[in-house]
Amino acid sequence: MTNPAIKRIVTNVVKSPEDKREYRGLELSNEIRVLLIHDPTTDKSSAALDVHTGSLADPKDIPGLAHFCEHMLFLGTKKYPKENEYNQFLSEHAGSSNAFTSGENTNYYFDVSNEHLEGALNRFAQFFLCPLFDASCKDREVNAVESEHEKNLMNDAWRLFQLEKSTGNPEHRFSSFGTGNKFTLETRPAEMGIDVRQELLKFHSANYSSNLMALCVLGRESLDELTDLVVKLFAEVENKYVPVHEYTDHPFQEEHLKQLYKVVPIKDIRNLYVTFPIPDLQKYYKSNPGHYLGHLIGHEGPGSLLSELKCKGWVNTLVGGQKEGAKGFMFFIINVDLTEEGLVHVEDIILHMFQYIAKLRTEGPQEWVFQECKDLNAMAFRFKDKERPRGYTSKLAGLLHYYPIEEVLAAEYLLEEFRADLIEMVLQKLTPATVRVAVVSKSFDGKTDRSEKWYGTQYKQEAINPDVIQKWLDADLNGKFKLPVKNEFIPTNFEIFHLENDTATFPCLIKDTAMSKVWFKQDDKFFLPKACLNFEFFSPFAYVDPLHCNMAYLYLELLKDSLNEYAYAAELAGLNYDLQNTIYGMYLSVKGYNDKQHIILKKIMEKMVTFEIDDKRFEIIKEAYMRSLNNFRAEQPHQHAMYYLRLLMTEVAWTKEELKEALEDVTLVRLKAFIPQLLSRLHIEALLQGNITKQTSLSMIQMVEDILIEHAHTKPLLPSQLTRYREVQLPDRGWFVYQQRNEVHNNCGIEIYYQTDMQNTHENMLLELFLSNYFRAMLQHAADQRTIRLYCVQWSTTSKWHSRTTFYHPVGKTSQLPGK
């Protein structure tokens, strides 16, 4: 293939052995890096373009300009000047689009029905060739950015991220306010005599260069057809030869280290964040020393840092590992949540962290640990699940900036080089001399003296006492800490079972008794050594009243807590479980590699009927549950809308207030008495599907029944007890409004609910068509008005077949809904 627009063709893209798609890499003459994906079975086509510039490139006087550029870019081009042409085309052809701006990247992506990839890609390409940045749209998009900021304003994650940035070097671009708002994009520029649209044009001209762009396109078309399409549409994007900015200085310098930040959150949360500045490790991706250390420091098995801190009653969870910064710098973090007792032992918790780090230095880098990580990653890459087109192209477009095209699919998985020197280098950076500590708690309310500029987060900054630093420097070895043992859950048998003669298209019922009903479906599509085991345990005692609901919740939380050390190794080996209470009883799922699923299933069931509740863990988890109930008041308005609709339409549902009031009556003695009652009578409904045989499925359900009968003396429910809660039927042509005030967020959430008749295939199809058209009208209306900012739009069709649509708009601004 000879084409002057193509500089290089890459045909040897490393892919998973189980990946049936075909790949081709291109580097165009204008230096756009391209990955093409031919997938003849995809249900939708997709494309994404990532520009290697983001909010870190904002002019100092106009924070949020990169984000604003992302908003403005899609509002008309010279070839397609109609403002909503792109989104209208997508919505008319089963498509959708989105974009995001991060510190170093701006990512644009869409999906569309397979027949219309070329039309969508044509419109998409114009944004990078000839955008209009129509001045008439500026004010509306400023309002959209402001509305987005309002959504995040009372979100603790956004507030803490900005506080971390704001407390570093103020001259470093990392300290910037990336989202922007009306003040930064309109009010202040007007006061300073700055024309924001002109600055936007300058920003786009300076940063949107083809050599900073990476494109990924997925479709049913052949690789040659996709190549021709991309060359035709993107070869003319201008190359301005803009260099990728690299930061030679870390945003955390000497004066920003050995500092303690006491922070007041919005929700009632207690967290400890320990951060170390480290160099950029991205170029070492084949040895990944940060991953090695994160694997050990963040381990949750016996002898781990978390295990000891939980035993002390100070924390419940721990996350450790490297965190991205930008080209030139990174961070290493160790974050834990704190119990009430843990809040007064912060110095001791950090001492334990340095004791564990001292253990790692003493033991030295272990090649067997690296090899285990390497084997786990290689297995995950070999058998990775097929990704959805839109998310896949978006991710790959971003990765093309960081890895060779040949390795872009595999680079995040494959470890090749054990580099003890790099591991030791990073370890040397994790010292008390370079630490930053943030403690987040409501207990600091009224005891702070500073307010973060953009979110108003209240905090107090103190230098860590030199005596405390010295105590951490003198951290000796703690005999409780051990390196992990070799992981026995790593699967060794990847055999794909032959399809049984009577393989059905849909799950079939293979057992139906008083104790259990079992559905089975052997995988005949993906042929991966994985299975999904799903069990619902029906119990009449699980949701009798708020008290029983609380006890069911606490029972399962304590059960999962007691399983954590054991199950963590399975999780690392790609074998996950989920266990939660429901309005009917309990739901258990075990998913992942089928080789050793039966082992963890047996362990879960045995633990379910035999474990003894630890007094201290009961009090800790009960207190955390009470805080979570209280924190619901600070959830987003759209979540409140969904919650209240469920309360209104469900036959039986307990409110957060009812659960809080009843929680006071839950004692350890009462909970211990409740567990055998809960397990005394059950009915099990199960669906087992994947790389599994009918006989194995029956053996598993028999094992589950045997354990329950032997240890809990479980008996089956009576047929009359197997009932489902009903949904409230609305009168024909009825129209009702229910309103509640959200006390925390300055947004509105609206959920519209339409109830239709009992389902049948023809009417379901008509309903889906109606919803698609309704959704398109809503998007168009929102785009036209721009006083509404759509953050979340959903619809669903369930038992009584209804549609659900959720969206925000700022308080004080209203707009008539389409069709009303």
Side-chain angles (χ1 to χ4, degrees):
M1 182 183 295
T2 302
N3 189 320
I6 300 175
K7 185 177 181 180
R8 186 167 72 102
I9 299 176
V10 178
T11 57
N12 58 334
V13 178
V14 179
K15 68 174 185 175
S16 165
E18 305 300 326
D19 191 345
K20 304 301 188 289
R21 293 165 293 204
E22 296 177 8
Y23 297 86
R24 176 184 292 169
L26 304 174
E27 186 177 340
L28 303 186
S29 297
N30 60 1
E31 298 187 45
I32 293 183
R33 294 160 65 82
V34 182
L35 183 68
L36 305 175
I37 307 172
H38 166 58
D39 183 353
T41 64
T42 186
D43 58 344
K44 285 195 179 178
S45 297
S46 178
L49 190 144
D50 190 283
V51 186
H52 204 355
T53 191
S55 59
L56 294 182
D58 285 343
K60 190 170 184 179
D61 291 332
I62 318 177
L65 192 63
H67 183 208
F68 186 49
C69 182
E70 171 217 309
H71 277 247
M72 290 289 290
L73 192 71
F74 279 178
L75 302 178
T77 61
K78 290 180 181 176
K79 185 173 182 179
Y80 299 102
K82 184 180 174 183
E83 180 183 321
N84 202 40
E85 169 69 29
Y86 169 66
N87 281 323
Q88 184 175 343
F89 182 88
L90 291 177
S91 64
E92 287 175 353
H93 299 103
S96 60
S97 71
N98 211 335
F100 65 84
T101 304
S102 63
E104 288 189 300
N105 301 82
T106 310
N107 190 287
Y108 305 89
Y109 53 97
F110 72 85
D111 62 10
V112 72
S113 60
N114 292 304
E115 300 80 8
H116 298 282
L117 174 61
E118 181 172 1
L121 199 61
N122 193 331
R123 288 160 176 79
F124 183 74
Q126 305 310 311
F127 298 127
F128 309 99
L129 289 164
C130 51
L132 293 178
F133 294 116
D134 191 340
S136 66
C137 303
K138 180 177 75 71
D139 291 344
R140 291 177 298 174
E141 286 307 315
V142 167
N143 287 334
V145 172
E146 170 71 10
S147 185
E148 195 168 334
H149 174 60
E150 285 279 348
K151 174 182 70 74
N152 302 331
L153 194 56
M154 305 302 282
N155 181 297
D156 282 314
W158 282 92
R159 294 166 71 88
L160 293 169
F161 178 52
Q162 186 60 46
L163 180 62
E164 179 181 51
K165 297 202 295 179
S166 298
T167 52
N169 179 3
E171 299 303 315
H172 198 288
R173 289 188 177 185
F174 179 72
S175 68
S176 66
F177 171 43
T179 305
N181 60 14
K182 194 166 187 174
F183 175 76
T184 67
L185 296 171
E186 182 176 282
T187 307
R188 189 171 66 179
E191 294 171 353
M192 298 174 66
I194 297 174
D195 185 329
V196 171
R197 182 172 180 273
Q198 289 303 314
E199 292 299 319
L200 178 63
L201 294 172
K202 287 196 291 185
F203 176 88
H204 181 269
S205 177
N207 292 282
Y208 276 56
S209 171
S210 60
N211 72 301
L212 296 184
M213 295 180 183
L215 174 69
C216 181
V217 182
L218 181 154
R220 288 186 177 179
E221 292 82 354
S222 70
L223 291 176
D224 286 344
E225 291 171 325
L226 291 173
T227 298
D228 292 342
L229 184 58
V230 164
V231 169
K232 179 176 71 173
L233 294 175
F234 291 90
E236 298 304 316
V237 178
E238 183 181 357
N239 189 350
K240 302 162 187 173
Y241 302 96
V242 178
V244 176
H245 191 87
E246 183 167 3
Y247 300 89
T248 55
D249 294 328
H250 202 285
F252 296 156
Q253 295 298 311
E254 180 65 29
E255 63 269 29
H256 310 112
L257 306 176
K258 293 183 284 189
Q259 298 293 309
L260 170 65
Y261 301 89
K262 298 178 179 179
V263 187
V264 181
I266 298 300
K267 289 184 176 180
D268 187 4
I269 57 176
R270 292 189 298 266
N271 292 324
L272 168 63
Y273 300 93
V274 177
T275 303
F276 304 90
I278 62 172
D280 186 357
L281 303 176
Q282 200 280 326
K283 61 184 176 182
Y284 304 121
Y285 67 91
K286 291 187 178 181
S287 55
N288 209 339
H291 174 79
Y292 172 95
L293 289 172
H295 171 74
L296 293 177
I297 292 173
H299 208 278
E300 299 180 17
S304 65
L305 174 59
L306 175 63
S307 180
E308 178 62 11
L309 294 176
K310 280 181 69 174
C311 185
K312 297 276 189 180
W314 295 341
V315 313
N316 292 313
T317 60
L318 181 149
V319 175
Q322 67 187 33
K323 186 174 80 169
E324 301 298 326
K327 190 174 178 62
F329 67 91
M330 276 184 175
F331 311 94
F332 196 95
I333 61 166
I334 309 176
N335 299 341
V336 300
D337 74 325
L338 298 168
T339 64
E340 288 181 296
E341 189 178 349
L343 188 60
V344 298
H345 284 279
V346 166
E347 291 179 11
D348 296 321
I349 292 170
I350 298 174
L351 175 63
H352 279 66
M353 292 179 183
F354 284 117
Q355 287 177 334
Y356 193 86
I357 291 169
K359 170 75 172 177
L360 296 182
R361 290 199 185 101
T362 302
E363 294 284 348
Q366 304 288 308
E367 188 163 4
W368 76 265
V369 174
F370 176 86
Q371 186 63 44
E372 187 170 276
C373 291
K374 177 179 178 178
D375 292 344
L376 288 171
N377 282 15
M379 181 180 68
F381 181 63
R382 176 183 173 187
F383 298 114
K384 71 187 184 76
D385 296 328
K386 188 174 182 179
E387 302 85 349
R388 295 183 183 277
R390 202 176 82 160
Y392 195 42
T393 57
S394 173
K395 179 180 179 180
L396 290 174
L399 293 179
L400 283 167
H401 296 300
Y402 300 98
Y403 302 109
I405 295 177
E406 294 87 345
E407 299 176 352
V408 71
L409 303 179
E412 289 194 315
Y413 292 90
L414 302 186
L415 297 171
E416 296 180 3
E417 305 166 0
F418 174 62
R419 292 280 304 272
D421 59 321
L422 293 177
I423 295 169
E424 290 172 342
M425 179 271 289
V426 178
L427 264 178
Q428 294 308 313
K429 305 290 184 183
L430 311 185
T431 73
T434 60
V435 74
R436 283 168 55 94
V437 177
V439 185
V440 180
S441 171
K442 282 286 192 182
S443 65
F444 300 132
D445 197 6
K447 303 174 185 176
T448 60
D449 55 9
R450 301 189 188 194
S451 178
E452 193 277 320
K453 180 177 181 179
W454 301 110
Y455 289 82
T457 305
Q458 301 299 305
Y459 71 101
K460 183 174 185 177
Q461 179 178 348
E462 302 173 352
I464 300 174
N465 190 305
D467 292 340
V468 174
I469 295 291
Q470 189 59 51
K471 182 173 74 170
W472 293 342
L473 283 167
D474 295 337
D476 55 359
L477 295 179
N478 186 327
K480 300 287 183 66
F481 292 142
K482 311 289 182 187
L483 290 183
V485 297
K486 292 189 176 181
N487 193 335
E488 299 298 328
F489 275 103
I490 297 176
T492 55
N493 181 3
F494 301 110
E495 177 190 1
I496 304 299
F497 295 115
H498 293 296
L499 291 178
E500 298 180 349
N501 293 331
D502 56 348
T503 300
T505 305
F506 301 105
C508 58
L509 188 64
I510 59 172
K511 182 177 183 179
D512 190 0
T513 67
M515 179 68 90
S516 63
K517 180 177 285 189
V518 183
W519 300 84
F520 166 75
K521 174 70 178 77
Q522 190 175 24
D523 173 37
D524 57 359
K525 181 177 181 180
F526 300 104
F527 299 104
L528 294 173
K530 299 179 181 182
C532 300
L533 316 179
N534 305 278
F535 306 87
E536 187 159 18
F537 300 88
F538 291 84
S539 168
F541 302 107
Y543 207 70
V544 173
D545 54 28
L547 176 64
H548 283 72
C549 178
N550 283 334
M551 290 194 292
Y553 173 84
L554 290 172
Y555 162 54
L556 295 183
E557 288 301 301
L558 286 159
L559 174 58
K560 288 186 286 187
D561 185 67
S562 70
L563 280 165
N564 189 65
E565 283 190 1
Y566 177 84
Y568 184 71
E571 181 183 336
L572 290 177
L575 190 53
N576 300 282
Y577 84 96
D578 183 33
L579 186 59
Q580 55 187 280
N581 67 309
T582 71
I583 60 175
Y584 299 111
M586 302 174 288
Y587 170 77
L588 168 66
S589 68
V590 181
K591 300 179 181 180
Y593 298 102
N594 59 273
D595 181 26
K596 298 180 179 179
Q597 274 183 325
H598 64 287
I599 298 175
I600 192 168
L601 176 62
K602 183 179 180 182
K603 181 70 173 182
I604 293 168
M605 293 307 304
E606 290 176 342
K607 199 76 168 176
M608 182 183 288
V609 295
T610 62
F611 93 105
E612 293 293 327
I613 300 175
D614 178 85
D615 297 18
K616 183 185 290 187
R617 296 305 297 165
F618 168 74
E619 294 298 338
I620 288 171
I621 289 177
K622 178 183 174 183
E623 189 273 338
Y625 178 43
M626 177 61 84
R627 281 189 291 125
S628 73
L629 291 172
N630 287 325
N631 284 335
F632 184 73
R633 60 180 286 277
E635 296 295 348
Q636 291 284 350
H638 76 277
Q639 292 172 299
H640 282 191
M642 290 188 286
Y643 162 74
Y644 285 114
L645 180 66
R646 183 177 67 85
L647 290 180
L648 292 167
M649 298 306 299
T650 304
E651 185 178 16
V652 177
W654 311 125
T655 68
K656 303 293 183 184
E657 295 301 321
E658 290 167 339
L659 292 171
K660 283 194 292 184
E661 183 180 348
L663 187 56
E664 297 175 3
D665 296 327
V666 179
T667 64
L668 183 58
V669 172
R670 180 170 268 172
L671 180 59
K672 286 182 175 180
F674 165 75
I675 295 171
Q677 180 190 40
L678 178 72
L679 300 176
S680 64
R681 287 191 176 270
L682 294 172
H683 178 78
I684 307 165
E685 187 151 355
L687 168 62
L688 298 93
Q689 58 183 10
N691 186 45
I692 189 172
T693 64
K694 186 183 299 182
Q695 186 56 50
T696 302
S697 299
L698 291 170
S699 297
M700 283 190 180
I701 196 69
Q702 191 62 52
M703 177 184 70
V704 169
E705 291 183 20
D706 290 345
I707 291 171
L708 287 168
I709 293 169
E710 178 184 352
H711 295 282
H713 310 294
T714 306
K715 295 180 180 179
L717 292 181
L718 300 172
S720 61
Q721 292 177 296
L722 295 176
T723 58
R724 294 276 184 177
Y725 293 119
R726 296 175 298 173
E727 188 173 280
V728 175
Q729 182 173 350
L730 298 176
D732 288 347
R733 301 185 181 277
W735 190 70
F736 306 91
V737 176
Y738 180 82
Q739 295 180 320
Q740 278 285 343
R741 181 172 180 80
N742 186 295
E743 300 173 356
V744 176
H745 295 276
N746 191 29
N747 301 304
C748 289
I750 300 174
E751 181 159 18
I752 304 172
Y753 172 98
Y754 293 105
Q755 192 178 73
T756 63
D757 210 339
M758 297 299 290
Q759 52 179 302
N760 63 65
T761 302
H762 179 72
E763 290 190 0
N764 290 351
M765 178 273 297
L766 294 176
L767 182 59
E768 291 288 351
L769 184 61
F770 162 74
L771 290 172
S772 178
N773 288 322
Y774 181 90
F775 180 50
R776 188 183 314 132
M778 176 172 288
L779 285 176
Q780 181 63 55
H781 181 74
D784 291 343
Q785 294 294 318
R786 288 292 170 180
T787 52
I788 295 177
R789 177 60 180 168
L790 280 160
Y791 293 111
C792 174
V793 179
Q794 303 173 323
W795 70 66
S796 61
T797 48
T798 55
S799 57
K800 293 284 286 185
W801 289 95
H802 63 270
S803 72
R804 217 175 243 191
T805 306
T806 307
F807 61 91
Y808 287 100
H809 64 82
V811 169
K813 295 183 179 180
T814 60
S815 185
Q816 188 178 7
L817 300 175
K820 188 70 186 111

